[in-house]
Amino acid sequence: MTELAFEPTIDLPVQGEVINTPSVTVSALPIAGKLVLRAEGDAIAKAVKKALKLELPKGVTDLTRADGIEAMWMGPDETLLVCDIDQLAATQAAIGKAAAKLHHSLVDVSDYYISMQIQGAKAREVLAKHVPADMHPSAFVDGTVIRTRFAKATAVLVARGDDTFELMVRWSFAQYAAELLRVSCLEYA
Amino acid sequence: MFVIECPWCGKRDQSEFITHGEAHIARPTNGHEMTDAEWGDYVFFRDNPKGITRERWIHTHGCARWFNVMRHTVTEEIFATYKPTDPKPELPEGSE
């Protein structure tokens, strides 16, 4: 990677704790490394598995993990890879190398989504206020991902167990989503 | 509110989808021979049936893929959803 002559400063749209109530807490998560991998067929899945020991998700709501990388099913030929920001360059290089001879696209979208964590006994209820997909524990199971809508924003939702959820919305929608989450949690404060 | 079955994601709320009009309109291959009227027909004119229609829909807030929906314009009943590469489904029995 190119050395920068200055330290870039970024004003994140949402930072730190958004709201903290006895039954639900919302806070911004640190920026993660994110890649969108688009490719059709099994060849890419085999190449990625060989290079990173990562089994790509195969169908809707699938989420797979290996060595700090999470792979989320976004569409029939689209996977979102999430890793630590420090791991991003290595991950991108490894997949790029593995898939070099295959038709694919691999794009760094780390600044595309802002992630927030919603945690607590009422977390599912808060999400259900704005998400049309079923948020019941039997439908939205721990360890799965769903691409849906959060109020007016396209969103990626990850269920991480123990009433913990990650909400990813696009950067420009982050302030809106955070403010809406804050208001939606007020009744539990 | 309707529940629409995306061929890839399964049953989802209507608000995750957008429709973009009539399906199965093939781009003409003899464009150089066509008159303005024929082009106008291809580009702008669509059937507006009172009955069963096949439409293109996109799962915008989900997998962002296009697919086709066969539905009734009066009863709003959805008979089938299918991938663009799938064959046209049969019309339900008793319909025109």
Side-chain angles (χ1 to χ4, degrees), chain B residues 52-64:
Chain B
I52 290 169
T53 181
R54 292 185 179 88
E55 289 170 328
R56 297 163 74 229
W57 284 68
I58 182 168
H59 194 187
T60 318
H61 296 295
C63 60

Side-chain angles (χ1 to χ4, degrees), chain A residues 68-144:
Chain A
I69 305 169
E70 284 187 328
M72 305 175 186
W73 190 90
M74 296 284 109
D77 63 358
E78 186 177 346
T79 306
L80 179 68
L81 300 152
V82 183
C83 63
D84 196 274
I85 192 80
D86 298 328
Q87 211 183 338
L88 175 72
T91 307
Q92 191 169 10
I95 297 174
K97 198 178 156 197
K101 287 183 179 158
L102 300 163
H103 182 62
H104 75 286
S105 98
L106 183 66
V107 182
D108 177 359
V109 293
S110 303
D111 58 355
Y112 194 61
Y113 287 113
I114 292 289
S115 292
M116 281 174 268
Q117 181 175 279
I118 301 109
Q119 189 173 34
K122 296 288 181 190
R124 278 185 194 271
E125 285 184 32
V126 169
L127 287 172
K129 290 181 183 185
H130 305 291
V131 177
D134 195 348
M135 290 289 104
H136 191 269
S138 65
F140 188 36
V141 184
D142 290 345
T144 62

Side-chain angles (χ1 to χ4, degrees), chain B residues 19-28 41-42 45-47 52-57 66-71 80-91:
Chain B
T19 179
H20 282 265
E22 196 178 336
H24 302 295
I25 295 173
R27 185 181 169 84
D41 189 49
Y42 160 68
F45 288 85
R46 297 292 178 260
D47 290 342
I52 290 169
T53 181
R54 292 185 179 88
E55 289 170 328
R56 297 163 74 229
W57 284 68
W66 289 95
F67 62 98
N68 295 335
V69 173
M70 184 165 83
R71 71 175 180 95
T81 58
Y82 54 103
K83 296 176 187 177
T85 48
D86 288 346
K88 276 190 198 178
E90 297 282 321
L91 287 172

Side-chain angles (χ1 to χ4, degrees), chain A residues 157-180:
Chain A
L157 265 174
V158 187
R160 297 201 184 279
D162 294 334
D163 293 326
T164 305
F165 302 89
E166 184 180 339
L167 172 73
M168 286 186 232
V169 288
R170 289 189 189 165
W171 186 290
S172 57
F173 276 96
Q175 234 167 5
Y176 159 76
E179 205 48 38
L180 199 54

Side-chain angles (χ1 to χ4, degrees), chain A residues 38 60 73-78 132-133 146-149 154, chain B residues 1 8-10 12-13 15-16 59-65:
Chain A
R38 293 198 64 174
V60 65
W73 190 90
M74 296 284 109
D77 63 358
E78 186 177 346
I146 189 168
R147 204 184 197 189
T148 178
R149 194 168 58 75
T154 299
Chain B
M1 284 298 206
W8 289 279
C9 301
R12 296 290 186 88
D13 188 87
S15 62
E16 291 186 9
H59 194 187
T60 318
H61 296 295
C63 60
R65 276 340 98 120

